[in-house]
Structure formats: structure tokens, C-alpha cells
Amino acid sequence: MRSMGATGASIPSPDSEQAKGQQEAHNSQETCSFLKESNREECPSFWAGKEPPVILISLDGFRPEYLSRRALENGEYRGEWAAATIKCLAQSGISSPYMMPSYPTITFPNHYSIITGLYPESHGIIGNQFHDPDLKDNFSIYTGATDPKWWQNGEPLWTTVRKQGKISATYFWPGSDVTFAEEEQRSPNYFFKYKKSTSFGERVNQVLRWMDLPIDKRPAFTTLYFEEPDSIGHKVGPNTANATEKVTIVDRQIRKLIDGLTERNISNCVNIIIVSDHGMADSPQGQKLVDLVKYVPDVANSTLTFLGPVTSIRPLKDTKGEEERIGGALSCKDPHMRVFNKWELPYRMHSVRTRRIPNLMVDMDISWRAVIKEEAWGSSGAHGWDNLYLNMQAIFVAYGPAFKNREVVRPFENVQLYNLMCHLVNVTPSENNGTWGALHHLLMDPPNLNVDANEELLDMPPILRTMAETKDGAKKRTGCALVNGEGNGKTSPEIEIEMKMTEDRENELLIAHAPLGIPFVVSSEPSTIPNDSNVLLINEDYLTGFDTESGIPLWTSYTVSGNMTNNTNIGKWIEDPRLETNHTGSCQRLSSIVQTKDVDYIHLFPKEFAMQKMDAWLDTNLLEVPSGIAHFIATMIQMLSEASVSRGPLHVISGPTRQHSPCVFFVVTACRMNSTAGEWNLTTCPVEHRDLQAFLLPVREWKYQNSCISDRDFIAYNVATLKDVERVTDFQFFPDLPMEDKLNLLARTTLDSTLIIDPTRQ
């Protein structure tokens, strides 16, 4: 067995029987008796306040896998857990298999996302180093990071707490030692300037001293930060005995805190939340490097570049031509590297809405780094890669009187924590990217979920019915000749379509194709969709929300069961006879647009799933997309068919977005059946068994990567959350679900489901 040297020893690998025997031998020792069995009513009256204080602890770079490691001593397994205290808190309180960090998976951006509830593009701390073109200055965590000019966006929780008359304290946290002239309330009441040499023990002792203060001076919210196991992970790599030892060291500090609270008889009078900012992956020195100079010889002199797992490139000459020269030179050159214009990055990365993010971004495979000639620093571990990599995930453990006991909950994004902590401290949250109530299911006594009066839904849009009922003597339309490629001046033959249906049949189809209700426009903010032009069209195979003013389908909703029919591949577009003469249909809209050879017309409800041929060819089901991406949509349809065979009936809602970069969205749900659930269907399926996967597929060709990515990788790369889709569509989905169930779906991460494809990056 290798001895543990300064450069990092590998983790010992005993055979499975030996490990099993050691585990069984030490089971009796691995009790959590140090966690005092008590309840909040036992808190000392002189100490207890209205709400228990919250202590938020960050273990930098602590990846979830560390919790499954056994402790080591002199290179041998001791049998107990390396993080025995945290394991006990997780088993006795509430935990998650992982917490998803924000992108990029870097220290400063994620600590500030946790404490503000904002994605980095919103709070502005987009990396540990970056350039601000408006300030004409560079940010670095090593120099000048406490200058308030960098921290103008977002409100951290210590500020929220102090503004609302309560006390906050921080023993280190990125941004907490920034002081604002004449704005004292933006800083915590108590804080320390960051000093890495401060011992972990002193940090814990100070938190305990804060807990000893009288109630009018005691912090309602406190942070505690440890640099480990991040530092050792960088130095020698995460898969080493040295990293395991550091896990034990920080775990002992958590135990010291718990013991100190127990001595004061307040261990069950404080809500403790333990998190990390990101994970850690092997990144061997001098290996798995892509030298940008090989493809752009002048990159060092012509750009401002921040290198590493996530690399940003800002051309010094700020022109479209210069960006295309550099981006084109890097395009598809190395299979471990992808280059994007930032507007082409998947929406899930939330990496657009600040000028601090330059136009050229480089995405690397895990463990790979971009360099210029050679690495500027040496390390054996790193982070920063896409948050779809499992090794980039963070931890979440919570214990205290507010939290449920002995529960493991679904993973969630770290921006959701801010709202939860605001509730625990009883303050009103500032504006953030989380969802109020998304984590209330973690609580022993969750508050009532009151519907915001400003978010009332519109009434169901009017249903347009047949021509015979509503359009007697209607003026004849132009037809779909141009869309069908029949040239100017021609008209499509008038086709009689039998579309009459009874009200009972309409109701049956509404249930079949929208089992949880049709998408509604949210009226809390100005919408891009005119309310009075939004109509509902009910077809045998699908439902459509259609904007009769713009002539564009808003969404289609349908159920897929089994293989594609393949019986409607040949046909012609026809005008929907239900549209009034003052309405604009897709054919009419497109007839006034200059036609190009680079556009394909797709069926929003796929014709491959149609049982009624004419339904699929109505122009209210027509959407034009660039020819270069039509094959991605076709592959998505094939994948829907495959999933409907392997997973049972699917409910699909899809349509175009009108915000951000143009996309076609897909929201797909199914019921995870088991042997006792034969009676469940897409309407009655319990939320815990309801599978959901969403996508935002760009309808613009990727400028630099389009020719070197497979269709299925493209689709997996553009996975999205339900919350993402609601943000970019102005829709609220599944209005018939109870609020608690809807929040369950909104809180899920992009890694939650493999319904259509496994998005996990390897």
C-alpha cells in the first residue's frame, strides 16, 4: 500500500469483502448519539427567540462522493465514515443526493448565487477572474476583490436580514467583507476581513461566541466558511487519501460546533445548513490540455482570455469580423473543446445577461483545460466545468427544529436556497431567480402557499370551431400555394374538411391532450403575446394555442402512445377553415415574406404521430425554421416515439419561444409506473411518480459547432428546467396541478430525468 506523500496518495482500495467486514464491525460505533434528542420547546427561555437562528456552513469544493468515503489513518481504513458528523446530520435531518451549482462551477459565482438566489449573469460575479468592459477593469479574487464596484447587483441575505431590523454575521463568505460608503446596512452587522490563515477552530469558536450573545445582539443569520477540501483537491486531486483526510478535518470542525451548541443546551434550537459551492474533478498537471495557440497563433496578443476548465475569450478588437476569425479558427478543431458565441450557449447555463461575459466562450470536456502554450499554474484537481457533470455537483444537508427528520429529497439548484433561508429567518426576500415555496417541502411546518394576486391566470382562450358554424359567406383566402412550393399566382384547391365535433368530444380531447390543463399566459408582467388574439383550436390528434394576430402557433399539446404512424409523410398545407377573415394564418403570414431556400416548414404537432391526416397539415400547425436545424427537430420526434414505446404514454407540449434566443421548446411528461399503479394515467399520476424532461432547442444554427455535434448530443446539451421554459415563453404550465405538485416540478434540476435522453455529461 502506498504511503501518503506530499504530492497526494491514492485512496486505498480494499477488496469488497474486507470493506464489508470492516463496515459491519464498526456499525455499532457509527451511532449518532451526540445529536441530542430534544425539541425546540426545551430551548432555554433566556436564549430562545421567535425564530431559531440559521447557521449556513460552506465546505468549499466538497463533492457528494466524499460522503461515501471511509476514514483513513496511516493509510488504513478505520471503518468509520470520513465525514461521520455530516453523515449523522444527513441521516437525522434532511439531505439531497446533490445540490446543483450554478454555471460556471466556480467558487465566487456560486457562493454569491447561494446567498442572493441569483444566477451569476444576474448578480454579476461571473468568475474568480473576469473583465468588465464598462468599468474597463479586471476582477480577481486575489487583488481588489472587495472593491464595492464589483458587487452592485443582487442583495445577499446578510443585507436582507439587516435591512429588516435583524442581525447578521459572517465568518468569511465571498462578498461579505465588502464595505459600501454611506450604505452600512449592505454589510453584515458582524464580519471579518478574509484571512486564509485563520484557523478553522477559531472560526468555530467565534460562531459559538455569537450564539452566546443576548437576543438583541445575537445573529439571526450566520455564515461559516472553510476552504477545504477545495484547496487539497486542487493541490493533489480529489481521488487521493490526502483529500479524504481533509474531509475528516472539516467534519471534525462541524462536530466541534455541534458539541459547543450541545454544551449550551441549544443544539436543537439552531437550524444548520451545510452546503458546498461545487465539486471537484481530476485534472492532472500537464495532461489533457488544448493549446489555443495551435489554432489561433496570435491569441495571446489579440484577446483578453481567462483560461481553464471554463475559458472566456474577449477579442481586443471588438468587431464581429474579429470574433468570427477567432471563433472560426477554434471551431470543431478538438473533440474535447467546443467554442460558442455566448448567445448560443444553452439557456440552462444562464450566461448571457451581462457584458462581463464575453461573446466567445469555450466549453471543455471534464478534466480538460484550455491553455496558451502552457499552464500558468500547476494543479491536480479543478472545477468550473458544465454543471451537467456529476463530479461538479455540490452537497446539501440540513438539521434543526425547522427541518423534517430522516428524509432525502430530490436535488435542486442552489439559487433556491435564498428563499428558504429568508423564510427561516422570517424576512421578505429580495428579487431573485428562485421560486418561492420550491423548498418548503423540506420543512416540518411549511407555511401556506398563497397565490399571488398579481399572478392570476387569464380565462381559457376562446375555442374556434368550424367554418360552417362561424364563417358563412366568408371571403376566400389566398391559400397555401407559396408554402407548398406552387409558385405565385396559384391557389391550392379548396378542400372540404369535416371538423365538426360535439362539446362532449371537445371535453374528451381536452382531457386526452392536456391532462393537466392547457398552458396559460401569466399576466403578472407585460407579455409578448396579445391576450385578445390568443385562441384555442381543438383537433382530434392535438390541441393548439394560436395567435391570430401574428399568424404563429403558440404551443401544441398532445399525447403520444407507441410508434409513429408514418402514414402522412406526403401532403400539402391547407388553411385552417376555422380562422376568421380578419385573422392571420401561417400561410397568409408567410405569403407576404420573401421566401428563402434556407427555411423548412415543420409540423409543430408531428405529422408522424397523426391519425387524422388533415389535422397535421393545417397551417395553424405550421412553423418555419432554418433548414440547418430541421434535422434536430426530426431527431427529437424520433426520440419521442422511442420513449413512448419504452416508457408508455407521453404528454408533450411544444412551441416557439419569443424571448432570449429563438428556440423550440418541448415539455414532456410521463408516469413512472410500477406493479401497484395500474390505474394511474397522465392525469392521476402522483407527482413523485411523474417524470418530466424539458428542452429549449435553438432555431438558429450554431455558428461554430453545428457541423461537429450529433443530433442527440445537441438535444441533450440543450436540456432545460420547467422553470427555464416558463421564463422564456410567458406561459404557466399544468394549471390543474395542486400548487405543491407544481412547485415540485419547478424545483427539479436538468439532471432529474432521463425520460427522453440522459443529459449527464461523462
Side-chain angles (χ1 to χ4, degrees):
M1 186 172 293
R2 294 175 58 187
S3 62
M4 293 181 289
T7 58
S10 300
I11 301 173
S13 301
D15 62 65
S16 58
E17 288 302 315
Q18 178 186 359
K20 181 179 178 181
Q22 289 177 334
Q23 180 175 351
E24 292 174 350
H26 288 273
N27 271 345
S28 60
Q29 301 174 20
E30 292 182 357
T31 64
C32 300
S33 58
F34 67 91
L35 293 176
K36 182 181 176 183
E37 292 292 336
S38 65
N39 55 55
R40 189 182 165 196
E41 281 68 31
E42 297 177 4
C43 297
S45 58
F46 72 89
W47 189 89
K50 185 177 180 182
E51 295 90 19
V54 172
I55 300 177
L56 174 65
I57 305 170
S58 170
L59 309 178
D60 200 326
F62 197 117
R63 71 185 195 183
E65 177 269 331
Y66 288 157
L67 288 174
S68 64
R69 292 192 182 182
R70 294 283 170 174
L72 294 165
E73 186 172 348
N74 297 323
E76 299 287 345
Y77 282 102
R78 294 207 310 264
E80 64 191 59
W81 298 111
T85 304
I86 302 172
K87 290 280 285 189
C88 280
L89 291 170
Q91 292 167 3
S92 301
I94 199 158
S95 65
S96 177
Y98 64 84
M99 180 176 71
M100 178 171 272
S102 297
Y103 177 83
T105 52
I106 295 175
T107 298
F108 266 50
N110 275 280
H111 275 93
Y112 217 53
S113 287
I114 290 168
I115 209 69
T116 63
L118 295 170
Y119 294 116
E121 68 170 1
S122 298
H123 62 58
I125 306 301
I126 57 132
N128 285 352
Q129 295 89 31
F130 57 85
H131 177 76
D132 188 313
D134 298 318
L135 296 175
K136 296 180 174 58
D137 199 0
N138 294 337
F139 172 89
S140 172
I141 63 173
Y142 305 109
T143 57
T146 58
D147 190 323
K149 69 182 181 182
W150 302 110
W151 305 87
Q152 295 299 320
N153 298 326
E155 182 175 288
L157 184 54
W158 55 74
T159 302
T160 307
V161 168
R162 191 171 183 184
K163 280 184 175 180
Q164 297 180 40
K166 300 190 176 187
I167 297 173
S168 58
T170 60
Y171 212 120
F172 303 158
W173 197 278
S176 66
D177 54 353
V178 177
T179 55
F180 297 83
E182 301 179 1
E183 292 184 273
E184 185 181 16
Q185 283 193 326
R186 293 185 66 171
S187 300
N189 297 77
Y190 314 129
F191 69 93
F192 290 87
K193 289 287 185 181
Y194 179 68
K195 187 178 180 182
K196 187 175 182 179
S197 61
T198 304
S199 71
F200 290 174
E202 172 54 28
R203 303 179 198 191
V204 172
N205 289 337
Q206 179 58 59
V207 170
L208 291 171
R209 286 194 287 269
W210 281 330
M211 295 300 106
D212 288 334
L213 293 173
I215 193 168
D216 60 336
K217 295 182 179 180
R218 185 189 316 131
F221 173 72
T222 301
T223 71
L224 176 60
Y225 169 78
F226 300 110
E227 294 86 356
E228 297 292 359
D230 182 80
S231 294
I232 195 67
H234 281 295
K235 184 177 180 180
V236 300
N239 294 310
T240 60
N242 307 68
T244 304
E245 287 184 328
K246 290 296 185 182
V247 167
T248 299
I249 286 172
V250 294
D251 184 78
R252 287 172 178 166
Q253 296 303 318
I254 305 297
R255 177 62 181 268
K256 178 178 180 178
L257 175 66
I258 298 297
D259 288 346
L261 296 174
T262 301
E263 290 171 4
R264 292 160 172 78
N265 196 29
I266 57 174
S267 61
N268 286 281
C269 310
V270 178
N271 289 312
I272 297 173
I273 300 173
I274 302 172
V275 298
S276 57
D277 48 351
H278 52 71
M280 183 70 68
D282 282 318
S283 188
Q285 296 182 34
Q287 302 177 39
K288 298 188 175 182
L289 307 177
V290 176
D291 186 0
L292 302 184
V293 174
K294 180 178 178 181
Y295 310 111
V296 185
D298 65 340
V299 65
N301 299 321
S302 63
T303 69
L304 178 60
T305 301
F306 294 95
L307 298 162
V310 56
T311 293
S312 64
I313 302 174
R314 188 182 298 274
L316 297 180
K317 186 189 296 183
D318 187 15
T319 65
K320 181 179 179 181
E322 181 69 351
E323 176 206 310
E324 291 178 347
R325 178 184 75 86
I326 296 168
L330 296 173
S331 173
C332 298
K333 292 301 192 299
D334 190 289
H336 303 291
M337 174 182 73
R338 288 147 298 281
V339 60
F340 294 95
N341 177 287
K342 74 174 181 181
W343 294 94
E344 299 169 347
L345 285 169
Y347 184 84
R348 62 178 172 81
M349 289 182 170
H350 303 283
S351 293
V352 171
R353 300 178 186 278
T354 172
R355 279 169 44 81
R356 291 178 176 179
I357 301 173
N359 279 356
L360 284 176
M361 298 294 293
V362 177
D363 170 58
M364 306 297 297
D365 285 350
I366 197 153
S367 295
W368 285 76
R369 289 94 66 212
V371 300
I372 294 179
K373 292 187 177 179
E374 59 185 20
E375 282 191 289
W377 65 90
S379 66
S380 295
H383 51 85
W385 291 281
D386 192 346
N387 59 6
L388 291 184
Y389 287 111
L390 292 181
N391 279 341
M392 291 299 98
Q393 304 310 305
I395 63 165
F396 169 81
V397 174
Y399 177 85
F403 294 106
K404 292 179 179 177
N405 299 323
R406 299 176 178 86
E407 284 202 21
V408 178
V409 297
R410 285 179 184 269
F412 54 87
E413 294 181 329
N414 64 7
V415 294
Q416 301 289 4
L417 277 178
Y418 173 79
N419 282 328
L420 175 69
M421 294 187 292
C422 282
H423 167 72
L424 293 175
V425 185
N426 193 21
V427 293
T428 302
S430 182
E431 185 176 354
N432 64 87
N433 295 136
T435 301
W436 179 257
L439 299 185
H440 283 177
H441 61 288
L442 278 61
L443 302 174
M444 188 77 74
D445 185 22
N448 292 327
L449 291 169
N450 297 319
V451 177
D452 190 337
N454 294 322
E455 292 188 350
E456 291 182 359
L457 301 178
L458 298 179
D459 292 333
M460 183 170 171
I463 300 173
L464 288 191
R465 294 184 168 88
T466 66
M467 181 190 303
E469 293 176 345
T470 62
K471 295 173 61 176
D472 289 335
K475 183 171 62 177
K476 192 171 183 179
R477 291 174 168 274
T478 306
C480 295
L482 286 174
V483 174
N484 288 323
E486 297 170 348
N488 289 322
K490 293 185 178 181
T491 59
S492 297
E494 188 170 341
I495 300 175
E496 293 294 334
I497 307 173
E498 180 56 52
M499 304 189 72
K500 293 181 180 180
M501 61 179 67
T502 65
E503 186 174 338
D504 287 344
R505 182 56 179 160
E506 286 180 346
N507 290 332
E508 290 173 359
L509 293 171
L510 281 168
I511 294 172
H513 297 310
L516 301 177
I518 66 170
F520 277 83
V521 178
V522 179
S523 58
S524 59
E525 296 179 0
S527 173
T528 59
I529 303 170
N531 295 333
D532 56 358
S533 64
N534 182 4
V535 300
L536 174 63
L537 300 167
I538 300 178
N539 305 301
E540 285 290 334
D541 288 329
Y542 63 99
L543 311 177
T544 293
F546 194 80
D547 182 354
T548 59
E549 182 176 315
S550 67
I552 297 176
L554 303 174
W555 53 264
T556 186
S557 181
Y558 54 93
T559 299
V560 183
S561 299
N563 286 311
M564 297 184 288
T565 61
N566 291 319
N567 62 357
T568 55
N569 288 325
I570 300 175
K572 291 186 177 182
W573 293 103
I574 55 177
E575 289 187 313
D576 194 317
R578 293 165 293 186
L579 296 181
E580 303 284 353
T581 54
N582 62 332
H583 291 163
T584 300
S586 293
C587 282
Q588 182 179 348
R589 173 177 59 84
L590 293 169
S591 67
S592 62
I593 299 175
V594 176
Q595 303 300 302
T596 71
K597 296 180 180 179
D598 300 327
V599 171
D600 281 357
Y601 301 114
I602 66 169
H603 301 251
L604 196 53
F605 164 71
K607 64 183 185 301
E608 293 84 355
F609 297 145
M611 302 302 293
Q612 301 289 328
K613 177 176 179 179
M614 291 306 170
D615 279 8
W617 288 94
L618 293 169
D619 72 334
T620 48
N621 187 43
L622 184 157
L623 187 68
E624 73 275 20
V625 298
S627 299
I629 68 99
H631 59 98
F632 293 128
I633 305 296
T635 300
M636 183 69 185
I637 293 167
Q638 177 63 43
M639 294 167 68
L640 290 172
S641 177
E642 294 168 2
S644 72
V645 173
S646 62
R647 296 294 305 275
L650 305 180
H651 175 230
V652 183
I653 308 175
S654 68
T657 67
R658 297 192 176 193
Q659 298 184 28
H660 187 60
S661 295
C663 297
V664 175
F665 71 84
F666 288 84
V667 176
V668 189
T669 59
C671 193
R672 292 172 175 159
M673 300 295 186
N674 59 39
S675 59
T676 64
E679 72 279 8
W680 292 346
N681 56 40
L682 290 171
T683 302
T684 62
C685 185
V687 70
E688 285 302 320
H689 291 269
R690 193 177 295 279
D691 204 350
L692 181 148
Q693 194 166 40
F695 303 88
L696 285 166
L697 305 184
V699 296
R700 291 177 181 169
E701 291 188 60
W702 282 353
K703 184 180 292 186
Y704 305 119
Q705 291 299 132
N706 206 57
S707 63
C708 51
I709 188 168
S710 72
D711 289 5
R712 291 180 183 246
D713 284 346
F714 175 88
I715 290 167
Y717 203 67
N718 286 286
V719 69
T721 64
L722 179 63
K723 182 69 176 284
D724 287 340
V725 179
E726 289 198 342
R727 284 190 183 105
V728 298
T729 59
D730 286 335
F731 294 142
Q732 186 174 102
F733 294 90
F734 312 130
D736 293 350
L737 273 180
M739 180 65 74
E740 292 82 359
D741 291 357
K742 177 62 182 295
L743 288 170
N744 180 299
L745 299 181
L746 287 172
R748 296 184 186 183
T749 74
T750 48
L751 287 175
D752 184 84
S753 174
T754 60
L755 177 58
I756 304 301
I757 194 169
D758 186 352
T760 309
R761 297 185 67 180
Q762 303 296 334

